[in-house]
Structures are given as C-alpha cells and as structure tokens.
Coordinates of all heavy atoms in Angstrom, one line a residue:
M1 N 0.8 -1.2 0.0 CA 0.0 0.0 0.0 C 0.9 1.2 0.0 O 1.9 1.2 0.6 CB -0.9 0.0 1.2 CG -2.1 -0.8 1.1 SD -3.4 -0.2 2.3 CE -3.8 -1.8 3.0
T2 N 0.4 2.2 -0.6 CA 1.1 3.5 -0.7 C 0.3 4.6 0.1 O -0.9 4.7 -0.1 CB 1.2 4.0 -2.2 OG1 1.9 3.0 -2.9 CG2 2.0 5.3 -2.3
A3 N 1.0 5.3 1.0 CA 0.3 6.4 1.7 C 0.4 7.6 0.9 O 1.4 7.9 0.2 CB 1.1 6.6 3.0
L4 N -0.7 8.4 0.9 CA -0.8 9.6 0.1 C -1.6 10.7 0.9 O -2.7 10.4 1.4 CB -1.6 9.3 -1.2 CG -1.7 10.3 -2.3 CD1 -0.4 10.7 -2.8 CD2 -2.6 9.7 -3.4
K5 N -1.1 11.9 1.0 CA -1.9 13.0 1.6 C -2.8 13.6 0.6 O -2.3 14.0 -0.5 CB -0.9 14.0 2.2 CG -1.6 15.1 3.0 CD -0.7 16.1 3.6 CE -1.4 17.1 4.4 NZ -0.5 18.1 5.0
V6 N -4.1 13.7 0.9 CA -5.1 14.2 0.0 C -6.1 15.1 0.6 O -6.2 15.1 1.9 CB -5.9 13.0 -0.7 CG1 -5.0 12.1 -1.5 CG2 -6.7 12.3 0.3
R7 N -6.8 15.8 -0.2 CA -7.9 16.6 0.3 C -9.2 15.8 -0.1 O -9.3 15.4 -1.2 CB -8.0 18.0 -0.4 CG -9.3 18.8 0.0 CD -9.3 20.2 -0.3 NE -8.7 21.1 0.6 CZ -8.9 21.2 2.0 NH1 -9.6 20.3 2.5 NH2 -8.3 22.1 2.7
I8 N -10.0 15.6 0.9 CA -11.3 14.9 0.7 C -12.4 15.9 0.5 O -12.6 16.8 1.3 CB -11.6 14.0 1.9 CG1 -10.5 13.0 2.2 CG2 -13.0 13.3 1.8 CD1 -10.4 11.9 1.2
T9 N -13.2 15.7 -0.6 CA -14.4 16.5 -0.9 C -15.5 15.5 -1.2 O -15.3 14.3 -1.2 CB -14.1 17.4 -2.1 OG1 -13.8 16.6 -3.2 CG2 -13.0 18.4 -1.8
Y10 N -16.7 15.9 -1.4 CA -17.8 15.1 -1.6 C -18.6 15.5 -2.9 O -18.6 16.7 -3.2 CB -18.8 15.1 -0.4 CG -18.2 14.5 0.8 CD1 -17.4 15.3 1.7 CD2 -18.3 13.2 1.1 CE1 -16.8 14.8 2.8 CE2 -17.8 12.6 2.3 CZ -17.0 13.4 3.1 OH -16.4 12.9 4.2
Y11 N -19.3 14.6 -3.5 CA -20.3 14.9 -4.5 C -21.5 14.1 -4.3 O -21.5 13.0 -3.6 CB -19.7 14.8 -5.9 CG -19.4 13.4 -6.4 CD1 -20.1 12.8 -7.5 CD2 -18.3 12.6 -5.9 CE1 -19.8 11.6 -8.0 CE2 -18.0 11.4 -6.4 CZ -18.8 10.9 -7.5 OH -18.5 9.6 -8.0
W12 N -22.7 14.5 -4.9 CA -24.0 13.9 -4.6 C -24.9 14.1 -5.8 O -24.7 15.0 -6.6 CB -24.5 14.4 -3.3 CG -24.6 15.9 -3.3 CD1 -25.6 16.7 -3.7 CD2 -23.6 16.8 -2.8 NE1 -25.3 18.1 -3.5 CE2 -24.1 18.1 -2.9 CE3 -22.3 16.6 -2.2 CZ2 -23.3 19.2 -2.6 CZ3 -21.6 17.7 -1.8 CH2 -22.1 19.0 -2.0
P13 N -26.0 13.4 -5.8 CA -27.0 13.5 -6.9 C -27.5 15.0 -7.0 O -27.8 15.6 -5.9 CB -28.1 12.6 -6.6 CG -27.6 11.6 -5.6 CD -26.5 12.4 -4.8
G14 N -27.6 15.5 -8.2 CA -28.2 16.8 -8.3 C -27.2 18.0 -8.1 O -27.5 19.1 -8.3
E15 N -26.0 17.6 -7.7 CA -24.9 18.7 -7.5 C -24.6 19.4 -8.8 O -24.3 20.5 -8.9 CB -23.7 18.1 -6.9 CG -22.6 19.1 -6.7 CD -21.3 18.4 -6.2 OE1 -21.1 17.2 -6.4 OE2 -20.5 19.2 -5.7
D16 N -24.6 18.6 -9.9 CA -24.4 19.2 -11.2 C -25.3 18.5 -12.2 O -26.2 17.8 -11.8 CB -22.9 19.0 -11.6 CG -22.5 17.5 -11.6 OD1 -23.3 16.6 -11.8 OD2 -21.3 17.3 -11.4
E17 N -25.1 18.8 -13.5 CA -26.0 18.3 -14.5 C -26.0 16.7 -14.7 O -26.8 16.1 -15.3 CB -25.8 18.9 -15.8 CG -24.5 18.6 -16.5 CD -23.3 19.5 -16.1 OE1 -23.3 20.1 -15.0 OE2 -22.4 19.6 -16.9
W18 N -25.0 16.1 -14.0 CA -24.8 14.7 -14.2 C -25.6 13.8 -13.2 O -25.7 12.6 -13.3 CB -23.3 14.3 -14.2 CG -22.6 15.1 -15.1 CD1 -21.7 16.1 -14.8 CD2 -22.6 15.0 -16.5 NE1 -21.2 16.7 -16.0 CE2 -21.7 16.0 -17.0 CE3 -23.3 14.2 -17.5 CZ2 -21.6 16.2 -18.4 CZ3 -23.1 14.5 -18.8 CH2 -22.2 15.5 -19.3
G19 N -26.1 14.5 -12.1 CA -26.8 13.7 -11.1 C -25.9 12.7 -10.5 O -24.7 13.0 -10.2
D20 N -26.4 11.5 -10.3 CA -25.5 10.5 -9.7 C -25.0 9.5 -10.8 O -24.5 8.4 -10.5 CB -26.2 9.7 -8.6 CG -27.4 8.9 -9.1 OD1 -27.8 9.1 -10.2 OD2 -27.9 8.1 -8.3
I21 N -25.1 9.9 -12.1 CA -24.6 9.1 -13.2 C -23.1 9.5 -13.3 O -22.8 10.7 -13.3 CB -25.3 9.3 -14.5 CG1 -26.8 9.0 -14.4 CG2 -24.7 8.6 -15.6 CD1 -27.1 7.5 -14.1
I22 N -22.2 8.6 -13.4 CA -20.8 8.9 -13.5 C -20.5 9.3 -14.9 O -20.8 8.6 -15.9 CB -20.0 7.7 -13.1 CG1 -20.2 7.4 -11.6 CG2 -18.5 7.9 -13.3 CD1 -19.5 6.1 -11.1
K23 N -20.0 10.5 -15.1 CA -19.7 11.1 -16.4 C -18.6 10.4 -17.1 O -18.7 10.1 -18.3 CB -19.3 12.6 -16.2 CG -19.0 13.3 -17.5 CD -18.7 14.8 -17.3 CE -18.3 15.4 -18.6 NZ -17.8 16.8 -18.4
Y24 N -17.5 10.1 -16.4 CA -16.4 9.4 -17.0 C -16.0 8.2 -16.1 O -15.1 8.2 -15.4 CB -15.1 10.3 -17.1 CG -15.4 11.6 -17.9 CD1 -15.4 12.8 -17.2 CD2 -15.6 11.5 -19.2 CE1 -15.6 14.0 -18.0 CE2 -15.8 12.6 -20.0 CZ -15.8 13.9 -19.3 OH -16.0 15.0 -20.1
P25 N -16.9 7.1 -16.2 CA -16.6 6.0 -15.3 C -15.4 5.3 -15.7 O -15.0 5.2 -16.9 CB -17.9 5.1 -15.5 CG -18.4 5.5 -16.9 CD -18.0 6.9 -17.0
C26 N -14.7 4.7 -14.7 CA -13.4 4.0 -14.9 C -13.6 2.6 -15.4 O -12.8 2.0 -16.0 CB -12.6 4.0 -13.7 SG -12.1 5.6 -13.0
D27 N -14.8 2.1 -15.1 CA -15.0 0.6 -15.5 C -16.3 0.4 -16.2 O -17.0 -0.6 -16.0 CB -15.0 -0.2 -14.2 CG -16.0 0.2 -13.2 OD1 -16.8 1.1 -13.4 OD2 -16.1 -0.5 -12.1
G28 N -16.8 1.3 -17.0 CA -18.0 1.2 -17.8 C -19.1 2.0 -17.3 O -19.0 2.7 -16.3
E29 N -20.3 1.8 -17.9 CA -21.5 2.6 -17.5 C -22.0 2.0 -16.2 O -22.3 0.9 -16.1 CB -22.6 2.5 -18.6 CG -22.2 3.2 -19.8 CD -22.3 4.7 -19.6 OE1 -23.1 5.3 -18.9 OE2 -21.4 5.4 -20.2
H30 N -22.2 2.9 -15.2 CA -22.8 2.5 -14.0 C -23.2 3.8 -13.2 O -22.8 4.9 -13.5 CB -21.9 1.6 -13.1 CG -20.7 2.2 -12.7 ND1 -19.6 2.3 -13.5 CD2 -20.3 2.8 -11.5 CE1 -18.6 2.9 -12.8 NE2 -19.0 3.2 -11.6
K31 N -23.9 3.6 -12.1 CA -24.2 4.7 -11.2 C -23.2 4.7 -10.0 O -22.7 3.6 -9.7 CB -25.6 4.5 -10.6 CG -26.7 4.9 -11.6 CD -28.0 4.8 -10.9 CE -29.1 5.4 -11.8 NZ -29.5 6.7 -11.4
A32 N -23.0 5.8 -9.5 CA -22.2 6.0 -8.3 C -22.9 5.3 -7.1 O -24.1 5.3 -7.0 CB -21.9 7.4 -8.0
I33 N -22.2 4.7 -6.2 CA -22.7 4.0 -5.0 C -22.1 4.6 -3.8 O -20.9 4.7 -3.6 CB -22.4 2.5 -5.1 CG1 -22.9 1.9 -6.4 CG2 -22.9 1.8 -3.8 CD1 -22.4 0.5 -6.6
E34 N -23.0 5.0 -2.9 CA -22.6 5.6 -1.6 C -21.8 4.6 -0.8 O -22.1 3.4 -0.7 CB -23.8 6.1 -0.8 CG -23.4 6.8 0.5 CD -24.5 7.5 1.2 OE1 -25.7 7.0 1.1 OE2 -24.3 8.5 1.9
G35 N -20.7 5.0 -0.2 CA -19.9 4.2 0.6 C -19.0 3.3 -0.2 O -18.3 2.4 0.3
H36 N -18.9 3.5 -1.5 CA -18.1 2.7 -2.4 C -17.4 3.5 -3.5 O -16.2 3.2 -3.7 CB -19.1 1.7 -3.1 CG -18.5 0.8 -4.1 ND1 -17.8 -0.4 -3.7 CD2 -18.4 0.8 -5.4 CE1 -17.3 -1.0 -4.8 NE2 -17.7 -0.3 -5.8
T37 N -18.0 4.4 -4.1 CA -17.5 5.1 -5.3 C -16.7 6.4 -4.9 O -17.3 7.2 -4.1 CB -18.6 5.5 -6.3 OG1 -19.2 4.3 -6.7 CG2 -18.0 6.2 -7.5
I38 N -15.5 6.6 -5.4 CA -14.8 7.8 -5.3 C -14.4 8.3 -6.7 O -14.2 7.5 -7.6 CB -13.6 7.7 -4.4 CG1 -12.6 6.6 -4.8 CG2 -14.0 7.5 -2.9 CD1 -11.3 6.6 -4.0
A39 N -14.2 9.6 -6.9 CA -13.7 10.2 -8.1 C -12.3 10.6 -7.8 O -12.0 11.2 -6.7 CB -14.5 11.4 -8.5
V40 N -11.4 10.4 -8.7 CA -10.0 10.6 -8.6 C -9.4 11.3 -9.8 O -10.0 11.2 -10.9 CB -9.2 9.3 -8.2 CG1 -9.7 8.7 -6.9 CG2 -9.2 8.3 -9.4
D41 N -8.2 11.8 -9.7 CA -7.4 12.2 -10.8 C -6.6 11.0 -11.2 O -5.7 10.5 -10.4 CB -6.4 13.4 -10.4 CG -5.5 13.9 -11.5 OD1 -5.3 13.1 -12.5 OD2 -5.1 15.0 -11.4
P42 N -6.8 10.5 -12.4 CA -6.1 9.2 -12.8 C -4.6 9.4 -12.9 O -3.9 8.3 -12.9 CB -6.7 8.9 -14.2 CG -7.3 10.2 -14.7 CD -7.6 11.0 -13.5
S43 N -4.1 10.6 -12.9 CA -2.6 10.7 -12.9 C -2.0 10.6 -11.5 O -0.8 10.4 -11.4 CB -2.2 12.1 -13.5 OG -2.5 13.1 -12.6
V44 N -2.9 10.6 -10.5 CA -2.5 10.4 -9.1 C -2.8 9.0 -8.6 O -2.0 8.3 -7.9 CB -3.1 11.5 -8.2 CG1 -2.7 11.3 -6.8 CG2 -2.6 12.9 -8.7
I45 N -4.1 8.6 -8.8 CA -4.6 7.3 -8.4 C -5.1 6.6 -9.6 O -6.0 7.1 -10.3 CB -5.7 7.4 -7.3 CG1 -5.1 8.1 -6.0 CG2 -6.3 6.1 -6.9 CD1 -6.1 8.5 -5.0
S46 N -4.7 5.4 -9.8 CA -5.1 4.6 -11.0 C -6.6 4.2 -10.9 O -7.0 3.8 -9.8 CB -4.3 3.3 -11.1 OG -3.0 3.6 -11.3
P47 N -7.3 4.3 -12.0 CA -8.7 3.9 -12.0 C -8.8 2.4 -11.6 O -8.0 1.6 -11.9 CB -9.1 4.1 -13.4 CG -8.2 5.2 -13.9 CD -6.9 4.9 -13.2
G48 N -9.8 2.1 -10.8 CA -10.1 0.8 -10.3 C -9.3 0.5 -9.0 O -9.6 -0.6 -8.4
S49 N -8.5 1.4 -8.5 CA -7.7 1.1 -7.3 C -8.6 1.1 -6.1 O -9.6 1.9 -6.0 CB -6.7 2.2 -7.1 OG -5.7 2.1 -8.1
A50 N -8.3 0.3 -5.1 CA -8.9 0.4 -3.8 C -8.2 1.4 -2.9 O -7.0 1.4 -3.0 CB -8.9 -1.0 -3.1
V51 N -8.9 2.2 -2.3 CA -8.4 3.3 -1.4 C -9.0 3.2 0.0 O -10.2 3.3 0.1 CB -8.6 4.7 -2.1 CG1 -8.0 5.8 -1.2 CG2 -8.1 4.7 -3.5
L52 N -8.1 3.1 1.0 CA -8.5 3.1 2.3 C -8.6 4.5 2.9 O -7.5 5.2 3.0 CB -7.6 2.2 3.2 CG -8.0 1.8 4.5 CD1 -9.3 1.0 4.5 CD2 -6.9 1.1 5.2
I53 N -9.8 5.0 3.2 CA -10.0 6.3 3.8 C -10.6 6.2 5.1 O -11.7 5.7 5.3 CB -10.9 7.2 2.8 CG1 -10.3 7.2 1.4 CG2 -11.1 8.6 3.4 CD1 -11.3 7.8 0.4
N54 N -9.9 6.6 6.2 CA -10.4 6.6 7.5 C -11.0 5.2 7.9 O -12.0 5.1 8.5 CB -11.5 7.7 7.8 CG -10.9 9.1 7.6 OD1 -9.8 9.3 7.9 ND2 -11.7 9.9 7.0
G55 N -10.3 4.2 7.5 CA -10.6 2.8 7.8 C -11.7 2.2 6.9 O -12.1 1.0 7.2
H56 N -12.2 2.9 5.9 CA -13.2 2.4 5.0 C -12.6 2.2 3.6 O -12.0 3.2 3.1 CB -14.4 3.3 5.0 CG -15.5 2.8 4.2 ND1 -16.5 1.9 4.7 CD2 -15.9 3.0 2.9 CE1 -17.3 1.6 3.7 NE2 -17.0 2.3 2.6
E57 N -12.9 1.1 2.9 CA -12.3 0.9 1.6 C -13.3 1.4 0.5 O -14.5 1.1 0.5 CB -12.0 -0.5 1.3 CG -11.4 -0.8 0.0 CD -10.9 -2.2 -0.2 OE1 -9.9 -2.6 0.4 OE2 -11.7 -2.9 -0.9
Y58 N -12.8 2.3 -0.4 CA -13.6 2.8 -1.5 C -12.9 2.3 -2.8 O -11.7 2.0 -2.8 CB -13.6 4.3 -1.5 CG -14.3 4.9 -0.3 CD1 -13.7 5.2 0.9 CD2 -15.7 5.3 -0.5 CE1 -14.4 5.7 1.9 CE2 -16.3 5.9 0.6 CZ -15.7 6.1 1.8 OH -16.4 6.6 2.9
I59 N -13.6 2.4 -3.9 CA -13.0 2.1 -5.2 C -13.0 3.3 -6.1 O -14.0 4.0 -6.2 CB -13.8 0.9 -5.9 CG1 -13.9 -0.3 -4.9 CG2 -13.1 0.5 -7.2 CD1 -12.6 -0.9 -4.6
A60 N -11.9 3.5 -6.8 CA -11.7 4.7 -7.7 C -12.5 4.3 -9.0 O -11.9 3.8 -9.9 CB -10.3 5.0 -8.0
E61 N -13.8 4.6 -9.0 CA -14.6 4.3 -10.2 C -14.9 5.5 -11.1 O -15.5 5.3 -12.1 CB -15.9 3.7 -9.7 CG -15.8 2.4 -9.0 CD -17.1 1.8 -8.6 OE1 -17.9 2.5 -8.1 OE2 -17.2 0.5 -8.8
D62 N -14.6 6.7 -10.6 CA -15.0 7.9 -11.3 C -13.8 8.7 -11.6 O -12.9 8.8 -10.7 CB -16.1 8.6 -10.5 CG -16.8 9.7 -11.3 OD1 -16.5 9.9 -12.5 OD2 -17.7 10.3 -10.7
I63 N -13.8 9.4 -12.7 CA -12.7 10.4 -13.0 C -13.4 11.7 -13.0 O -14.1 12.1 -13.9 CB -12.1 10.1 -14.4 CG1 -11.4 8.7 -14.4 CG2 -11.1 11.2 -14.7 CD1 -10.9 8.3 -15.7
G64 N -13.2 12.5 -11.9 CA -13.9 13.7 -11.7 C -13.2 14.8 -12.6 O -12.0 15.0 -12.5
G65 N -14.0 15.5 -13.4 CA -13.5 16.6 -14.2 C -12.9 17.7 -13.4 O -11.9 18.3 -13.8
A66 N -13.4 18.0 -12.2 CA -12.9 19.0 -11.3 C -11.9 18.4 -10.3 O -11.3 19.2 -9.5 CB -14.0 19.8 -10.6
V67 N -11.7 17.1 -10.3 CA -10.8 16.5 -9.4 C -9.4 16.5 -10.0 O -9.1 15.7 -10.9 CB -11.3 15.1 -9.0 CG1 -10.3 14.4 -8.0 CG2 -12.7 15.1 -8.5
K68 N -8.5 17.4 -9.5 CA -7.2 17.5 -10.0 C -6.2 17.4 -8.9 O -6.4 17.9 -7.8 CB -7.0 18.8 -10.7 CG -8.0 19.1 -11.8 CD -7.7 18.2 -13.0 CE -8.6 18.5 -14.1 NZ -9.0 17.4 -14.9
G69 N -5.1 16.6 -9.1 CA -4.1 16.5 -8.1 C -4.5 15.5 -7.0 O -5.2 14.6 -7.2
N70 N -4.0 15.8 -5.8 CA -4.2 15.0 -4.6 C -5.6 15.3 -4.0 O -5.6 15.8 -2.8 CB -3.1 15.2 -3.6 CG -1.8 14.5 -4.1 OD1 -1.6 14.3 -5.3 ND2 -1.0 14.2 -3.2
V71 N -6.6 15.1 -4.7 CA -8.0 15.3 -4.3 C -8.8 14.0 -4.5 O -8.7 13.4 -5.6 CB -8.7 16.5 -5.0 CG1 -10.2 16.6 -4.6 CG2 -8.0 17.8 -4.7
I72 N -9.6 13.6 -3.5 CA -10.5 12.5 -3.7 C -11.9 13.0 -3.4 O -12.2 13.6 -2.4 CB -10.2 11.3 -2.7 CG1 -8.9 10.7 -3.1 CG2 -11.3 10.3 -2.8 CD1 -8.4 9.6 -2.2
D73 N -12.9 12.8 -4.3 CA -14.2 13.2 -4.2 C -15.1 12.0 -3.9 O -15.2 11.1 -4.7 CB -14.7 13.8 -5.5 CG -15.7 14.9 -5.4 OD1 -15.9 15.4 -4.3 OD2 -16.3 15.3 -6.5
I74 N -15.6 11.9 -2.7 CA -16.4 10.8 -2.3 C -17.9 11.0 -2.6 O -18.4 12.0 -2.3 CB -16.3 10.6 -0.7 CG1 -14.8 10.3 -0.3 CG2 -17.2 9.4 -0.3 CD1 -14.6 10.2 1.2
Y75 N -18.5 9.9 -3.2 CA -19.9 10.0 -3.6 C -20.7 9.8 -2.3 O -20.5 8.9 -1.5 CB -20.3 9.0 -4.6 CG -21.8 9.0 -4.9 CD1 -22.3 10.0 -5.6 CD2 -22.6 8.1 -4.3 CE1 -23.7 10.1 -5.8 CE2 -24.0 8.1 -4.5 CZ -24.5 9.2 -5.3 OH -25.9 9.3 -5.4
S76 N -21.8 10.7 -2.2 CA -22.7 10.6 -1.0 C -24.1 10.8 -1.6 O -24.3 11.6 -2.5 CB -22.3 11.7 0.0 OG -23.3 11.7 1.0
S77 N -25.1 10.1 -1.0 CA -26.5 10.3 -1.4 C -27.1 11.6 -1.0 O -28.1 12.1 -1.4 CB -27.3 9.1 -1.0 OG -27.4 9.1 0.4
V78 N -26.4 12.3 0.0 CA -26.9 13.6 0.5 C -25.7 14.5 0.5 O -24.5 14.1 0.6 CB -27.4 13.4 2.0 CG1 -28.7 12.5 2.0 CG2 -26.4 12.9 2.9
P79 N -26.0 15.8 0.5 CA -24.9 16.8 0.4 C -24.0 16.8 1.7 O -24.5 16.7 2.8 CB -25.7 18.2 0.3 CG -27.0 17.8 -0.3 CD -27.3 16.5 0.3
H80 N -22.7 16.9 1.4 CA -21.7 17.1 2.5 C -20.8 18.2 2.0 O -20.1 18.1 1.0 CB -20.8 15.9 2.6 CG -21.5 14.7 3.3 ND1 -21.5 14.5 4.7 CD2 -22.1 13.6 2.8 CE1 -22.1 13.4 5.0 NE2 -22.5 12.9 3.8
Y81 N -20.9 19.4 2.7 CA -20.1 20.5 2.2 C -18.7 20.6 2.8 O -17.9 21.4 2.3 CB -20.9 21.8 2.5 CG -22.2 21.8 1.7 CD1 -23.4 21.5 2.3 CD2 -22.2 22.2 0.3 CE1 -24.6 21.5 1.5 CE2 -23.4 22.2 -0.4 CZ -24.6 21.8 0.2 OH -25.7 21.8 -0.6
E82 N -18.4 19.8 3.8 CA -17.1 19.9 4.4 C -16.1 19.3 3.6 O -16.3 18.4 2.7 CB -17.1 19.3 5.8 CG -17.2 17.8 5.8 CD -18.7 17.3 5.8 OE1 -19.6 18.0 5.7 OE2 -18.8 16.1 5.9
S83 N -14.8 19.7 3.7 CA -13.7 19.1 3.1 C -12.6 19.1 4.2 O -12.6 19.8 5.1 CB -13.3 19.8 1.8 OG -12.8 21.0 2.1
Y84 N -11.6 18.1 4.0 CA -10.6 18.0 5.0 C -9.4 17.3 4.3 O -9.5 16.7 3.3 CB -11.0 17.3 6.2 CG -11.5 15.9 6.0 CD1 -10.6 14.8 6.1 CD2 -12.8 15.6 5.6 CE1 -11.0 13.5 5.9 CE2 -13.2 14.3 5.4 CZ -12.3 13.3 5.5 OH -12.7 12.0 5.3
E85 N -8.2 17.5 5.0 CA -7.0 16.8 4.5 C -6.8 15.6 5.4 O -7.0 15.6 6.6 CB -5.8 17.7 4.5 CG -5.9 18.7 3.4 CD -4.7 19.5 3.2 OE1 -3.7 19.3 3.9 OE2 -4.7 20.4 2.4
T86 N -6.3 14.5 4.8 CA -6.0 13.3 5.5 C -5.0 12.4 4.7 O -4.7 12.7 3.6 CB -7.3 12.5 5.8 OG1 -7.0 11.4 6.8 CG2 -7.9 11.8 4.6
I87 N -4.5 11.4 5.4 CA -3.7 10.4 4.7 C -4.5 9.2 4.3 O -5.3 8.7 5.1 CB -2.5 9.9 5.7 CG1 -1.7 11.1 6.1 CG2 -1.7 8.8 5.0 CD1 -0.9 11.8 5.1
V88 N -4.4 8.8 3.1 CA -5.2 7.6 2.6 C -4.1 6.6 2.2 O -3.0 6.9 2.0 CB -6.1 8.0 1.4 CG1 -7.1 9.0 1.8 CG2 -5.4 8.4 0.2
Y89 N -4.6 5.4 2.0 CA -3.7 4.3 1.6 C -4.3 3.7 0.3 O -5.4 3.2 0.3 CB -3.6 3.2 2.7 CG -3.0 3.8 3.9 CD1 -3.8 4.4 4.9 CD2 -1.6 3.9 4.1 CE1 -3.2 5.0 6.0 CE2 -1.0 4.5 5.2 CZ -1.8 5.0 6.1 OH -1.3 5.6 7.2
V90 N -3.5 3.7 -0.7 CA -3.9 3.2 -2.0 C -3.3 1.8 -2.2 O -2.1 1.6 -2.1 CB -3.4 4.1 -3.2 CG1 -3.8 3.6 -4.5 CG2 -3.8 5.5 -2.9
K91 N -4.2 0.8 -2.5 CA -3.7 -0.6 -2.8 C -3.3 -0.6 -4.3 O -4.2 -0.4 -5.2 CB -4.9 -1.6 -2.5 CG -5.2 -1.7 -1.1 CD -6.3 -2.8 -0.9 CE -6.6 -2.9 0.6 NZ -7.7 -3.9 0.7
E92 N -2.1 -0.9 -4.5 CA -1.6 -1.0 -5.9 C -2.2 -2.3 -6.6 O -2.3 -3.3 -5.9 CB -0.1 -1.1 -5.9 CG 0.6 0.1 -5.2 CD 0.3 1.4 -5.8 OE1 0.2 1.5 -7.1 OE2 0.3 2.4 -5.1
E93 N -2.5 -2.1 -7.8 CA -3.0 -3.3 -8.6 C -1.9 -4.0 -9.3 O -0.9 -3.4 -9.7 CB -4.1 -2.8 -9.5 CG -5.3 -2.4 -8.8 CD -6.5 -2.3 -9.7 OE1 -6.5 -2.9 -10.8 OE2 -7.5 -1.7 -9.2

C-alpha cells in the first residue's frame, strides 16, 4: 500500500447536471454507489484502485472533471459541504 496525503471532498446527486450518473466511469457505465465510489485524478490514483480512507475501503470508479491532483471526491447520497485533508492508503493493482 502507498500512503498519500489528499484533500477529501464530496459529490452527490443533483450537484451538477450529471446527477449520480458517472460522467467518466473508470469501469464502464454505472451509477455511483454511496460508501463505495470515489472520483480521482487518474494521474495520481489509478482507476479501479482500492483506497482506504479513515478505515473504510472505496473504489476509484469515477474520474472527476474538477478532481485534480491529490483530491478524492467521495460520492454521497446527501450533500456534504465539508472538506478536509488526511492520509489515505492506495492498494496497488
């Protein structure tokens, strides 16, 4: 596993014109799933990677257009406006 310092942000249905449909899915057409899907910058975290955030494992299934650099956007079914910095662990494939 690789440790990485990132900024955590959130996205949710209706936040933009895409709703909860993933605009640029990493693994085909699907909907984002709360507690599972994260959006990443593919130049930092490889699509499909498992990422441990605060003891919970998420999968990098989305490539966020506004997600650049060391940022992870967590999908949530309800709005979360807070953001914070933390260390995450990326499982290499």
Side-chain angles (χ1 to χ4, degrees):
M1 277 199 229
T2 302
L4 184 64
K5 184 176 182 179
V6 300
R7 174 165 275 310
I8 301 292
T9 59
Y10 295 87
Y11 69 113
W12 52 87
E15 178 188 19
D16 58 27
E17 69 271 26
W18 307 109
D20 64 349
I21 301 294
I22 297 174
K23 181 179 178 187
Y24 301 112
C26 299
D27 61 359
E29 290 292 322
H30 65 278
K31 286 184 168 262
I33 302 168
E34 184 170 29
H36 178 80
T37 302
I38 56 175
V40 299
D41 179 338
S43 71
V44 177
I45 297 173
S46 298
S49 294
V51 180
L52 192 62
I53 304 170
N54 299 324
H56 184 85
E57 186 175 282
Y58 294 86
I59 305 298
E61 294 181 317
D62 195 359
I63 299 171
V67 179
K68 302 292 183 212
N70 287 23
V71 174
I72 293 176
D73 212 12
I74 298 176
Y75 176 75
S76 175
S77 62
V78 297
H80 286 273
Y81 295 100
E82 70 273 5
S83 67
Y84 61 94
E85 289 190 2
T86 192
I87 302 294
V88 302
Y89 298 91
V90 180
K91 291 183 180 178
E92 304 296 328
E93 292 198 15

